[in-house]
Amino acid sequence: KNQVEQSPQSLIILEGKNCTLQCNYTVSPFSNLRWYKQDTGRGPVSLTIMTFSENTKSNGRYTATLDADTKQSSLHITASQLSDSASYICVVSVNYGGSQGNLIFGKGTKLSVKP
Amino acid sequence: EAQVTQNPRYLITVTGKKLTVTCSQNMNHEYMSWYRQDPGLGLRQIYYSMNVEVTDKGDVPEGYKVSRKEKRNFPLILESPSPNQTSLYFCASTEGGGNFAEAFFGQGTRLTVV
């Protein structure tokens, strides 16, 4: 069964600190993996996409990694800011021969950044 | 500006009173979908549409209907809402295909059924 597991469920850190969120998946056939940021009460917004051949990708203070062999991804946030407080959702896309949108969602990690 | 627009943002209704949540996208995407989000359960797909007049069930379709008469609109219909449909609903429109599909989400509709 295609699944995406995220850890931790929630995390509280102090402003300025770094943190790493984890995503493990059992999805086949794998197409790509995206990390989304969801502010409270709003729709998720894509932060980064990882394809099978990519190991690391950065978007400002966000760095995503992908290990396709172990089927693990991480999202590292550097020098956290109060505005980073949100849920971060790992989403894996299944490749059914070009079919769009077969997305498997993780349940998200809720990050709280405190001053 | 490229966007997915849902209406209403908030809705309180009574059990059994039919309602429709509208969703519109201006990106000419073929693929659209509806999700509900509940605490501890994450986002679950209700219905999706790969193109006009083509719709299919997602993971939790019971109690919902959809229609796709034109590419830009994908309304979600609750014929007889029940309290267990109280949830946060998101419409999404998907760009591209193959390895780069990105879902663009609407602002969400918070529905309460009493």
Side-chain angles (χ1 to χ4, degrees):
Chain A
K1 179 182 178 183
N2 289 326
Q3 281 187 316
V4 176
E5 302 284 346
Q6 291 187 246
S7 61
Q9 275 191 312
S10 62
L11 182 61
I12 301 175
I13 62 173
L14 292 176
E15 186 179 12
K17 297 297 186 181
N18 304 334
C19 68
T20 300
L21 314 181
Q22 300 289 347
C23 174
N24 297 336
Y25 62 92
T26 53
V27 175
S28 181
F30 175 88
S31 175
N32 66 69
L33 183 149
R34 285 185 186 270
W35 284 93
Y36 284 81
K37 179 185 180 186
Q38 184 179 21
D39 293 316
T40 301
R42 303 186 72 87
V45 176
S46 178
L47 287 173
T48 183
I49 178 174
M50 306 290 290
T51 58
F52 187 84
S53 59
E54 294 175 307
N55 299 120
T56 303
K57 183 174 285 187
S58 292
N59 178 4
R61 295 180 296 103
Y62 300 101
T63 299
T65 66
L66 176 66
D67 185 333
D69 292 330
T70 62
K71 299 187 177 181
Q72 295 180 325
S73 177
S74 67
L75 181 69
H76 185 75
I77 304 175
T78 304
S80 61
Q81 300 176 358
L82 298 180
S83 60
D84 293 331
S85 295
S87 288
Y88 292 83
I89 304 172
C90 177
V91 184
V92 181
S93 179
V94 185
N95 185 3
Y96 288 141
S99 172
Q100 298 183 22
N102 286 289
L103 304 176
I104 312 299
F105 288 84
K107 295 180 181 178
T109 292
K110 186 171 183 178
L111 174 66
S112 297
V113 181
K114 303 294 186 184
Chain B
E1 179 189 354
Q3 60 185 8
V4 178
T5 304
Q6 290 179 232
N7 279 297
R9 291 291 310 278
Y10 302 92
L11 179 60
I12 300 174
T13 190
V14 296
T15 299
K17 185 177 181 181
K18 181 180 178 180
L19 66 90
T20 299
V21 184
T22 64
C23 173
S24 180
Q25 52 97 0
N26 63 1
M27 294 170 280
N28 202 35
H29 291 168
E30 292 184 346
Y31 190 100
M32 298 182 73
S33 52
W34 275 101
Y35 297 87
R36 62 177 288 173
Q37 187 175 37
D38 302 289
L41 296 178
L43 283 154
R44 294 181 292 168
Q45 192 179 55
I46 302 171
Y47 266 94
Y48 65 94
S49 169
M50 298 187 71
N51 212 329
V52 175
E53 303 291 1
V54 181
T55 64
D56 208 347
K57 296 177 180 178
D59 299 319
V60 287
E62 294 77 21
Y64 304 95
K65 286 176 57 178
V66 293
S67 71
R68 189 85 182 277
K69 293 184 173 12
E70 49 191 340
K71 185 181 277 190
R72 66 181 290 121
N73 295 323
F74 190 43
L76 178 69
I77 303 156
L78 284 73
E79 294 272 5
S80 182
S82 61
N84 65 11
Q85 292 179 298
T86 292
S87 187
L88 179 60
Y89 291 85
F90 289 100
C91 178
S93 175
T94 302
E95 169 189 64
N99 289 334
F100 301 102
E102 176 180 358
F104 292 86
F105 288 84
Q107 320 95 301
T109 295
R110 186 168 291 282
L111 172 66
T112 302
V113 183
V114 298

